[in-house]
Amino acid sequence: MTSISEKALAITAREKERYANMTPGSQKATERAKKVLPLGVASNFQFFEPHPIVADHASGSRLWDVDGNEFIDYNGGYGSLFAGHSHPTLVEAITAQAPKGTLFTTPSVLIAEVAEALVERFQFEMVRFTNSGTEATMDALRLARGYTGREKIIKLEGGYHGHHDLVMMSVRPPLDKAGPADHPNTVPYYGGTAKATIDEVVVISFNDLPALERAFTEHPGEIAAFILEPVPENMGIVLPDDGYLAAAKEICHKHGALIIFDEVKTGITSNWGGASTIYSVQPDIICLAKSIGGGVPIAAFGASREIMGYIADFTVAHQGTFNGNPLVTAASLAVLTKICTKEATAAAIARNARLIEGCQKVIDETGLPAHTVQLGAKGCVTYVPERVRTFRDYKKTNFELAYAHWIYMMSHGIFLPPGLDEQWLVSVAHTDADIDRHLEIFEAFVREVTA
Ligand SMILES: Cc1ncc(COP(=O)(O)O)c(C=O)c1O
């Protein structure tokens, strides 16, 4: 009898060939780019085997590659395109602003307008802009260190917060280096990290309150902040245990540290007011990026007036040439106030619920060893039968099945995020027909692999 993993491998071999046959232009463009760019891409996360699709143009929920293939885009710029591609209102905002100036390096009225829109959604009192999620978490952590006068931080095993040194730890630690699950080692994510930085980061598992408490007792008076995604979205989607976030906040405060929610992904895609609103836990600092810009590089971090006062009185530095430039703030204002409205957000979440239910139904009917998880407009199929609570649980994924799923969807025009730890995004531009098509292709894959 053929095991499900063997069937998955056979499907992968066939679909890889199909993918290669339909994307010769992408292959050629990648070969050209490889001569002048490592891996032929601008970010390692854009590279995948056999080669990435090279995009030609995109609109709404669709993306076309250089070979003329049309994809329904559920990758959405790794969760950055809740507004869809080039929403007409966004295009109007950018084209209205471009001739009036793209960079002033002195304030425009737009910065306060976007800040007010973020304050209304996210319950913090003040905000500062950056250009990427990486900068948002870097500045948030610096602020936490300046505010507390402490240096060390706590982060989650399996958590990704961008590519500055302090958070490039235990992002995907190999299990033979990761140490015990209840007391993980700090493992740098690839090379180039100073030993001194490794010593500044204490790593714990998600949903493990005793480990959080112990991190503080093992490093008394040294921890500035605990940074986490309230719902980790870099190992599928991992929901917090009941009461976990509130208890984690209490432990941090008891020990004089801040709690930082990285809502770069969850932000406006999980709910109009973010995951902190869903779980009714207000962290000390919130980091935002990705979808708040609708596809242009704007990010932010927000906190109370008291904490942000450390920037206002120059205790902690915060700067950046392109911060809050008029082009990206015009785009963000359109996203926050006109495109991803409360109604549009609710409609996208409802469409995603239909997609999730449809996928789960097929899983239940066929006994596929997997389950679905939804957070707002994001969703995923995780190839582990039981709920995942930690990075170690996530590592039990049947990656042969997960890859077969991904390449099958790609070769049938459903663009899911490359990187099997990611999740899909249903944008405000996705239609019921897009959901039906996704379900149709998913069902065909599952029926074949479980036959
Ligand atoms: C949770 C989280 N935080 C931070 C970042 C970094 O954002 P950026 O890629 O804009 O630097 C990412 C990127 O994927 C992310 O998923």
Side-chain angles (χ1 to χ4, degrees):
M1 204 178 77
T2 320
S3 78
I4 196 159
S5 292
E6 279 166 336
K7 277 194 205 152
L9 289 172
I11 291 175
T12 292
R14 187 191 71 213
E15 294 303 318
K16 258 187 161 172
E17 201 178 320
R18 183 184 160 105
Y19 177 89
N21 288 337
M22 69 192 247
T23 57
S26 286
Q27 184 179 4
K28 200 165 153 223
T30 304
E31 290 311 322
R32 173 188 172 182
K34 271 184 178 169
K35 294 189 182 127
V36 281
L37 293 140
L39 299 172
V41 291
S43 154
N44 278 10
F45 289 162
Q46 291 172 13
F47 178 77
F48 53 84
E49 297 284 0
H51 52 259
I53 46 169
V54 174
D56 183 69
H57 65 285
S59 173
S61 63
R62 306 289 164 130
L63 182 143
W64 288 265
D65 68 9
V66 289
D67 291 291
N69 297 304
E70 179 177 330
F71 293 86
I72 307 177
D73 187 358
Y74 285 92
N75 178 16
Y78 282 115
S80 304
L81 292 164
F82 190 41
H85 286 282
S86 297
H87 192 286
T89 309
L90 182 91
V91 173
E92 197 185 305
I94 293 174
T95 46
Q97 184 56 47
K100 294 198 278 175
T102 59
L103 183 66
F104 302 140
T105 62
T106 195
S108 72
V109 175
L110 282 163
I111 57 166
E113 289 177 333
V114 179
E116 284 160 9
L118 290 174
V119 164
E120 193 189 344
R121 283 184 188 237
F122 291 97
Q123 317 290 316
F124 42 56
E125 291 175 318
M126 301 188 99
V127 64
R128 268 287 176 95
F129 298 112
T130 68
N131 306 291
S132 67
T134 297
E135 286 175 61
T137 63
M138 179 182 75
D139 287 316
L141 286 165
R142 178 175 294 122
L143 180 57
R145 286 164 141 187
Y147 180 80
T148 58
R150 300 169 174 187
E151 293 213 343
K152 290 190 174 24
I153 67 151
I154 302 173
K155 82 169 281 290
L156 294 179
E157 190 172 59
Y160 181 69
H161 304 288
H163 55 275
H164 60 93
D165 282 8
L166 201 51
V167 290
M168 287 281 279
M169 303 292 165
S170 297
V171 174
R172 297 278 168 277
L175 291 185
D176 58 344
K177 296 210 176 91
D182 62 349
H183 207 306
N185 298 332
T186 301
V187 184
Y189 189 43
Y190 299 107
T193 319
K195 169 87 172 63
T197 311
I198 301 171
D199 293 341
E200 286 166 1
V201 183
V202 181
V203 173
I204 62 170
S205 282
F206 190 49
N207 282 321
D208 188 348
L209 291 168
L212 179 62
E213 183 70 55
R214 195 183 51 224
F216 282 108
T217 48
E218 283 181 357
H219 303 275
E222 292 184 306
I223 308 280
F226 175 28
I227 184 166
L228 73 162
E229 289 184 272
V231 179
E233 288 196 343
N234 282 289
M235 31 185 172
I237 299 175
V238 185
L239 301 176
D241 290 350
D242 283 348
Y244 171 78
L245 295 172
K249 176 177 169 179
E250 206 178 304
I251 293 171
C252 290
H253 285 187
K254 184 175 81 180
H255 293 280
L258 302 186
I259 186 160
I260 302 173
F261 281 180
D262 176 348
E263 293 228 40
V264 163
K265 277 187 150 180
T266 54
I268 66 168
T269 65
S270 62
N271 182 13
W272 189 80
S276 46
T277 313
I278 298 178
Y279 292 97
S280 305
V281 178
Q282 188 67 19
D284 298 298
I285 307 180
I286 294 182
C287 301
L288 298 163
K290 293 199 187 263
S291 274
I292 64 164
V296 302
I298 180 168
F301 60 101
S304 65
R305 200 170 299 285
E306 191 212 340
I307 293 173
M308 292 303 254
Y310 279 62
I311 292 176
D313 72 7
F314 296 96
T315 305
V316 176
H318 175 247
Q319 54 264 339
T321 303
F322 286 99
N323 289 2
N325 69 69
L327 205 60
V328 299
T329 42
S332 183
L333 191 63
V335 170
L336 295 170
T337 63
K338 294 185 183 156
I339 303 169
C340 300
T341 57
K342 278 187 179 156
E343 297 70 30
T345 301
I349 290 174
R351 268 198 191 101
N352 189 34
R354 193 163 74 77
L355 176 55
I356 287 279
E357 278 159 27
C359 290
Q360 189 60 51
K361 185 165 169 277
V362 179
I363 292 170
D364 292 341
E365 280 171 13
T366 57
L368 183 76
H371 67 283
T372 52
V373 193
Q374 178 181 8
L375 183 74
K378 295 216 152 172
C380 65
V381 175
T382 296
Y383 284 88
V384 180
E386 317 77 35
R387 183 190 151 210
V388 165
R389 293 179 59 250
T390 65
F391 175 69
R392 305 290 169 114
D393 290 348
Y394 167 74
K395 288 292 280 183
K396 294 178 193 148
T397 297
N398 182 328
F399 288 104
E400 276 108 16
L401 262 177
Y403 186 84
H405 171 199
W406 177 77
I407 191 77
Y408 189 100
M409 300 304 276
M410 290 298 286
S411 64
H412 289 79
I414 305 288
F415 186 7
L416 289 179
L420 306 176
D421 42 24
E422 291 284 335
Q423 53 300 124
W424 68 67
L425 172 65
V426 172
S427 76
V428 301
H430 282 80
T431 62
D432 284 331
D434 292 337
I435 303 296
D436 289 340
R437 180 78 183 142
H438 189 148
L439 283 171
E440 189 188 319
I441 307 290
F442 178 69
E443 176 157 7
F445 164 71
V446 178
R447 298 269 173 216
E448 183 180 350
V449 82
T450 55

